[in-house]
Amino acid sequence: MKILIIGSGGREHALAWKITQSPLVSKIYCAPGNPGMAALGECFDLSVNDIPGVVAFAKDNDIALTVVGPEDPLANGMVDALTEAGLKAFGPTKAAAQLEASKGFAKDFMARHGIPTAAYGEFSDAESAIAYVREQGAPIVVKADGLAAGKGVTVAQTVAEAEAAIQEIMVEQVFGDAGAKLIVEAFLEGEEASIFALSDGENYRILASSQDHKAAYDGDTGPNTGGMGAYSPAPVVTDEIMAQIEEQVIRPCIEGMAKDGAPYTGVLYAGLMIGPAGCRVVEFNCRFGDPETQVVLPRMKSDLVPLLLSCSDGTLDAQDIEWNDGACVAVVMASGGYPKAYEKGIPITGIVDAESDDCIVVFHAGTKQDGDQILTNGGRVLNVTGFADSIQGSIDKAYEGVEKISFNGAHYRTDIGQKAFHHLT
Ligand code: AMP
Ligand code: GLY
């Protein structure tokens, strides 16, 4: 069968890498894809937001399943449009994608279904938001309601910082319509973990745990980024915590969405804070995490394709997932300056050398092909991923790969995966 993958980042490269290992798949297409994905299938130039273009391509090319990577097309109804055209798609409907696309929707949903999360207030004017912040005190968290490419959240250490964030969102409108409403919520203490669950609307299967590193620099310092690295499994998620996550978060979420008339299909991403009071939901996303997918999928022993198909067919109850025992670590190599302004078009060397080791794979996140050369083309450029029997072994493998790759200005964290050792004795 032929599969179409929508997106062009490291997450989509990892999906393409895993999907092409399936004996069920004869060919993959990627829209628009990246140079790493081009080595696995056929990439063509189509925007991830061109819904009619994607539907027409899937129809004309006899695509058995379209896998939608990023949140924007999901929130804009790409899966609805494909399904209406009689085509199979992996991902939630526009209505179900509200869990990510509107933080207010997600908070109200969690309150209604008893899912643990931070106490919050929802505001559509700056004055009442500021009054609430003054009443609550700091630390406190201010979030634009809508999709803001991960930049709409301020964890404020002071009331003044929170007030400035409210001004930016509501008065200066730096996030446009995404800031028409905002959420102010209590600061949660603890350690973050990412849990993905596949769902067909009724049944679910929880995938291996992982942890992202959102801060730009070592020791979780510096500005927040889209994610500077990840590892799986995340030992902070003990069996006991995983059972809590299933009973208190995943099950009530899937059941609640069905009850509310917007059954959740695709992958549900729960961003969780694991603290002294147990687990709390920081956010829901309606897609696979990036870069967490790059460390979770390599650990999956089962064929991913029947799992993705069964989410769209309503037959996930018949599926089991097997995992490799080892661990996986991905280190993001970023452009100099990221997450602020950075240059593009810088030649990269050493990818082939790094990948000559069977335990290293390099997922492309922001690259472009120029003749024989690969150039940088984004903030997060490469995800250098190592597999081994242990977390330490996979850290060593990932950094062995990083050492072989270079481009001018490259920066990366040197402590990806170290937090795992706080929980391992
Ligand atoms: P979000 O986009 O909602 O996931 O927020 C981005 C990041 O801000 C999260 O990954 C956390 O690191 C941090 N964050 C968000 N909400 C809270 C909270 N209530 N308490 C502490 N940190 C938070
Ligand atoms: N790794 C964070 C995200 O995918 O939102």
Side-chain angles (χ1 to χ4, degrees):
M1 68 177 74
K2 294 190 279 186
I3 295 200
L4 170 61
I5 299 171
I6 307 299
S8 62
R11 164 184 54 207
E12 287 80 16
H13 187 181
L15 282 162
W17 175 84
K18 182 69 182 159
I19 286 170
T20 49
Q21 290 168 19
S22 170
L24 300 169
V25 173
S26 55
K27 177 162 185 177
I28 62 160
Y29 293 93
C30 312
N34 65 38
M37 295 164 85
L40 301 169
E42 187 176 328
C43 296
F44 61 100
D45 197 15
L46 189 65
S47 157
V48 298
N49 291 313
D50 183 352
I51 294 179
V54 166
V55 172
F57 184 91
K59 246 190 193 155
D60 293 347
N61 290 279
D62 194 22
I63 298 295
L65 180 72
T66 300
V67 181
V68 185
E71 62 273 22
D72 282 325
L74 292 166
N76 290 328
M78 186 174 277
V79 166
D80 310 59
L82 286 160
T83 310
E84 276 158 28
L87 298 158
K88 278 189 195 171
F90 176 81
T93 59
K94 180 177 181 163
Q98 288 299 299
L99 268 186
E100 173 168 3
S102 167
K103 291 193 186 284
F105 174 94
K107 295 297 283 190
D108 295 345
F109 172 82
M110 286 186 267
R112 210 163 48 242
H113 294 285
I115 297 174
T117 186
Y120 71 106
E122 197 177 332
F123 304 95
S124 43
D125 70 280
E127 265 168 36
S128 21
I130 288 172
Y132 182 78
V133 163
R134 289 186 181 163
E135 185 190 304
Q136 299 291 318
I140 195 154
V141 184
V142 178
K143 302 184 174 187
D145 179 70
L147 292 177
K151 300 188 184 92
V153 175
T154 300
V155 179
Q157 297 304 331
T158 62
V159 168
E161 217 183 305
E163 288 187 17
I166 293 168
Q167 284 287 342
E168 258 188 24
I169 294 173
M170 293 229 135
V171 182
E172 294 157 33
Q173 302 185 344
V174 297
F175 304 113
D177 285 350
K181 283 195 287 179
L182 61 74
I183 301 292
V184 180
E185 69 176 32
F187 175 78
L188 295 172
E189 304 246 9
E191 192 174 327
E192 284 180 78
S194 303
I195 297 294
F196 305 150
L198 299 177
S199 174
D200 63 5
E202 191 185 336
N203 307 287
Y204 62 83
R205 292 286 181 270
I206 297 178
L207 307 190
S209 63
S210 60
Q211 192 178 61
D212 188 6
H213 297 60
K214 289 209 168 102
Y217 310 127
D218 284 4
D220 285 341
T221 57
N224 242 9
T225 69
M228 292 299 289
Y231 64 96
S232 174
V236 65
V237 183
T238 57
D239 289 349
E240 191 190 340
I241 296 283
M242 189 57 121
Q244 266 183 36
I245 294 170
E246 174 166 5
E247 290 314 313
Q248 298 176 12
V249 178
I250 304 297
R251 185 195 302 277
C253 182
I254 300 301
E255 286 178 0
M257 290 298 283
K259 232 182 252 166
D260 291 356
Y264 194 95
T265 55
V267 61
L268 172 72
Y269 164 154
L272 300 158
M273 192 68 82
I274 316 292
C279 64
R280 298 268 175 285
V281 175
V282 175
E283 63 169 346
F284 282 125
N285 292 318
C286 65
R287 49 164 177 90
F288 281 107
D290 189 345
E292 295 96 316
T293 305
Q294 292 88 309
V295 292
V296 170
L297 292 185
R299 296 193 52 230
M300 185 184 278
K301 209 188 272 176
S302 306
D303 187 345
L304 179 62
V305 173
L307 292 166
L308 300 179
L309 283 168
S310 68
C311 287
S312 123
D313 290 342
T315 55
L316 191 59
D317 57 331
Q319 301 287 337
D320 283 320
I321 309 181
E322 279 189 80
W323 296 94
N324 293 316
D325 284 337
C328 191
V329 169
V331 177
V332 171
M333 294 185 77
S335 293
Y338 175 80
K340 300 222 169 76
Y342 53 83
E343 259 183 75
K344 290 183 184 176
I346 301 170
I348 307 169
T349 58
I351 297 176
V352 173
D353 188 18
E355 288 196 313
S356 63
D357 185 322
D358 284 347
C359 297
I360 298 174
V361 53
V362 180
F363 294 120
H364 291 231
T367 66
K368 132 173 130 188
Q369 189 86 38
D370 180 30
D372 289 344
Q373 271 194 326
I374 305 281
L375 307 179
T376 66
N377 194 40
R380 292 190 291 175
V381 177
L382 298 170
N383 310 140
V384 186
T385 307
F387 333 109
D389 292 343
S390 64
I391 299 231
Q392 185 60 58
S394 53
I395 292 172
D396 294 344
K397 275 289 161 204
Y399 282 104
E400 244 176 65
V402 167
E403 290 303 318
K404 291 181 175 167
I405 297 174
S406 61
F407 55 90
N408 268 344
H411 84 86
Y412 54 87
R413 282 182 58 161
T414 64
D415 61 349
I416 301 300
Q418 293 298 329
K419 266 193 228 168
F421 301 110
H422 301 173
H423 306 278
L424 297 174
T425 45

